């Protein structure tokens, strides 16, 4: 038996998930229907929900609050923000947080980072979702990396049933604006928000500048990704100070999500807000 065959046997090909492919393909196809039912109000709904679910739900909630605990809010508000994050259809909170913590613990490692950029742009952008490795997608395995959330019955429930939240959302959208609101508010919004968020996994590890060149990974600050993700595109800053609530550190590095955190702080709702060290 050759060394090459031993390596091949020890690393069998990853199974392709046709369920995942079908799910994402269906959303992309349905999003195209937006062309035929355009209205300014429907577009406004899509843009508003992109901000609400993206900036407040994912960036502020799943990322800076739950993954890194860069600030604290009252528990009921934390739960409400987590529900907003779950409405983004990017996985349950335990799944998302565990994957992101693994990304920081093993940045760009081809085996331990779920969406390692060293596997190529498209792998880190979307293809990793089509090859669900058990250590990243099996609850019993990935929940070990988010034990604080896995101990909470509410987060276990939300992690399991988050997709069902789209049913009341679709009903509300339909009652408010008919089928165009559903197409724009769920399908078009989801597709645009997915690709916006995924750019942080893919593009910001390939393009942009580095305020902190000594960081031992390829994270970069990419201005247009920061615009699309409400501040998450200042990724090199974030990898330098992952537990800091503010991603934009220079005056021109606009961080819309930080504005929301600062507003919560001014209202007395955000406590123990972690700030970058004085340089």
């Amino acid at each position: 038996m050759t060394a090459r065959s031993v390596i091949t046997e020890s690393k069998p090909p990853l199974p392709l998930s046709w369920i995942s492919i079908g799910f994402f393909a269906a959303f992309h196809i349905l999003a195209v229907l937006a062309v035929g039912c355009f209205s300014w109000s429907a577009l406004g709904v899509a843009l508003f929900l992109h901000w609400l679910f993206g900036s407040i739900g994912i960036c502020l909630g799943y990322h800076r609050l739950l993954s890194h605990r860069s600030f604290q809010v009252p528990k009921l508000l934390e739960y409400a923000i987590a529900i907003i994050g779950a409405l983004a259809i990017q996985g349950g909170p335990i799944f998302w947080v565990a994957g992101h913590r693994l990304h920081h613990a093993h940045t760009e490692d081809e085996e331990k980072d779920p969406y390692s950029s060293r596997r190529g742009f498209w792998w880190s952008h979307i293809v990793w979702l089509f090859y669900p490795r058990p250590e990243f997608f099996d609850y019993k395995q990935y929940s070990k990396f988010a034990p604080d959330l896995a101990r909470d019955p509410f987060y276990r429930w939300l992690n399991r049933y988050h997709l069902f939240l789209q049913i009341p959302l679709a009903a509300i959208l339909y009652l408010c604006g008919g089928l165009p609101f559903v197409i724009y508010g769920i399908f078009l919004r989801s597709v645009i928000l997915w690709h916006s968020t995924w750019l942080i996994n893919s593009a910001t590890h390939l393009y942009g500048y580095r305020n902190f060149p000594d960081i031992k990974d390829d994270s970069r600050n990419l201005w247009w990704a920061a615009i699309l993700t409400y501040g998450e595109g200042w990724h090199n800053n974030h990898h330098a100070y992952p537990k800091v609530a503010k991603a934009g550190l220079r005056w021109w590095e606009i961080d819309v999500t930080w504005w929301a955190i600062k507003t919560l702080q001014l209202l007395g709702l955000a406590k123990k807000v972690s700030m970058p060290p004085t340089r």
Side-chain angles (χ1 to χ4, degrees):
M1 183 179 293
T2 65
R4 184 174 182 178
S5 64
V6 171
I7 293 174
T8 302
E9 290 180 4
S10 63
K11 293 183 179 180
L14 293 172
L16 183 64
S17 173
W18 289 104
I19 293 176
S20 295
I21 292 175
F23 177 82
F24 287 108
F27 266 71
H28 281 73
I29 291 169
L30 289 168
V32 175
L33 297 178
V35 176
C37 58
F38 174 81
S39 73
W40 288 109
S41 57
L43 179 60
V45 166
L47 293 175
F48 172 74
L49 294 182
H50 185 282
W51 166 78
L52 181 63
F53 299 162
S55 181
I56 305 304
I58 296 298
C59 304
L60 184 152
Y62 271 21
H63 187 205
R64 304 189 199 188
L65 177 59
L66 297 183
S67 295
H68 296 292
R69 297 296 183 181
S70 62
F71 63 99
Q72 295 178 4
V73 296
K75 185 59 71 172
L76 288 179
L77 178 58
E78 179 183 306
Y79 288 163
I81 293 171
I83 290 173
I84 295 172
L87 283 163
I89 320 181
Q90 295 191 16
I94 302 175
F95 166 80
W96 202 102
V97 169
H100 189 72
R101 289 177 179 174
L102 281 167
H103 168 68
H104 275 274
H106 309 286
T107 305
E108 295 165 359
D109 185 289
E110 293 188 16
E111 295 299 320
K112 297 178 180 180
D113 182 347
Y115 27 84
S116 172
S117 61
R118 291 183 183 174
R119 286 176 171 260
F121 177 92
W122 287 110
W123 173 269
S124 57
H125 192 75
I126 185 173
V127 175
W128 71 280
L129 293 166
F130 300 156
Y131 292 91
R133 292 170 56 181
E135 57 265 44
F136 305 140
F137 285 81
D138 179 74
Y139 177 81
K140 290 184 179 180
Q141 296 192 50
Y142 71 69
S143 61
K144 298 175 184 177
F145 301 99
D148 50 330
L149 301 187
R151 287 192 294 267
D152 191 316
F154 172 78
Y155 284 122
R156 292 198 299 270
W157 174 86
L158 187 60
N159 197 72
R160 175 173 292 185
Y161 298 111
H162 63 278
L163 280 177
F164 290 98
L165 295 177
Q166 298 303 307
I167 296 174
L169 174 62
I172 293 171
L173 290 172
Y174 186 80
L175 291 173
C176 291
L179 187 60
F181 272 34
V182 175
I183 297 296
Y184 275 79
I186 291 184
F187 299 105
L188 182 64
R189 177 269 306 169
S190 295
V191 169
I192 295 175
L193 183 54
W194 283 338
H195 287 285
S196 300
T197 305
W198 296 340
L199 285 170
I200 306 306
N201 302 338
S202 54
T204 61
H205 280 264
L206 294 173
Y207 312 110
Y209 65 91
R210 292 164 61 84
N211 285 336
F212 303 93
D214 294 334
I215 298 299
K216 295 181 180 180
D217 58 48
D218 289 326
S219 60
R220 299 170 185 276
N221 294 328
L222 191 58
W223 68 268
W224 52 266
I227 292 174
L228 292 172
T229 57
Y230 308 99
E232 300 295 88
W234 311 121
H235 203 50
N236 179 241
N237 296 348
H238 174 60
H239 272 256
Y241 300 110
K243 295 186 180 299
V244 163
K246 186 178 182 181
L249 302 183
R250 296 186 176 181
W251 68 267
W252 67 83
E253 294 174 345
I254 296 174
D255 185 356
V256 174
T257 300
W258 164 246
W259 299 348
I261 296 172
K262 187 65 177 177
T263 299
L264 290 175
Q265 186 180 36
L266 292 172
L267 293 173
L269 295 174
K271 306 286 188 179
K272 297 183 179 180
V273 179
S274 179
M275 296 296 291
T278 303
R279 299 179 64 188

